[in-house]
Amino acid sequence: MNKLRGLIDRKFAKFLLVGAINTLVGTAIMFGLYNLAHCTYWVSSGVNYILTSILSFFLNKYFTFGSREKSADEVVRFAVNIAACYLLAYGIAKPLCVAVLAGVSPAIRDNVSMLFGMCLFTVFNYLGQRFFAFHVK
């Protein structure tokens, strides 16, 4: 329980603030591409994460985790973390929602899946950025 308390600190609050900004921008991108531009599930969610990850990198690097490292390794760790979290979160969300919401229209099922994927991504991404991408103790 003490380890969990150590994860929920000032950095976590800052991460949530940055996440709220990214979520507002990303939600508009992802659901706009899917519902208005009629892009596929993977294109809509993928474009969202590519664009908002750039913003997230700079906000989390300097504001949330206070990293002053200037190396390509940090950029690579961040990119690997984002890719792994994206594939894991949306790879779990899509088949799970297909199974649970089998009788629902594909559009509703995909929208629910993208929302669920966003939630999973947030959890995975925080842990990955804190302990892998920016090496915060």
Side-chain angles (χ1 to χ4, degrees):
M1 188 61 140
N2 286 336
K3 289 189 185 240
L4 182 59
R5 284 189 195 146
L7 289 175
I8 301 174
D9 58 6
R10 186 178 186 103
K11 286 177 178 56
F12 183 71
K14 287 180 175 183
F15 184 82
L16 290 178
L17 179 61
V18 168
I21 293 165
N22 275 343
T23 299
L24 290 173
V25 172
T27 299
I29 292 168
M30 183 167 60
F31 288 103
L33 286 173
Y34 185 82
N35 293 299
L36 301 175
H38 306 290
C39 294
T40 67
Y41 172 87
W42 292 108
V43 168
S44 301
S45 61
V47 168
N48 164 36
Y49 281 96
I50 289 168
L51 296 177
T52 57
S53 290
I54 295 166
L55 176 62
S56 175
F57 175 80
F58 290 104
L59 290 176
N60 281 317
K61 175 181 174 61
Y62 296 109
F63 175 70
T64 304
F65 299 113
S67 174
R68 299 297 178 232
E69 182 179 336
K70 296 199 185 308
S71 74
D73 289 345
E74 189 176 62
V75 173
V76 170
R77 286 192 310 267
F78 182 85
V80 166
N81 176 66
I82 293 295
C85 292
Y86 170 76
L87 292 171
L88 186 61
Y90 285 84
I92 290 170
K94 177 82 171 176
L96 185 61
C97 286
V98 166
V100 172
L101 302 172
V104 178
S105 78
I108 291 172
R109 190 174 55 229
D110 282 352
N111 277 283
V112 170
S113 178
M114 288 187 294
L115 185 61
F116 183 52
M118 286 172 59
C119 295
L120 290 174
F121 180 87
T122 299
V123 172
F124 298 152
N125 187 36
Y126 173 69
L127 295 172
Q129 283 192 40
R130 182 164 183 155
F131 296 109
F132 175 66
F134 296 117
H135 291 293
V136 176
K137 309 260 187 264

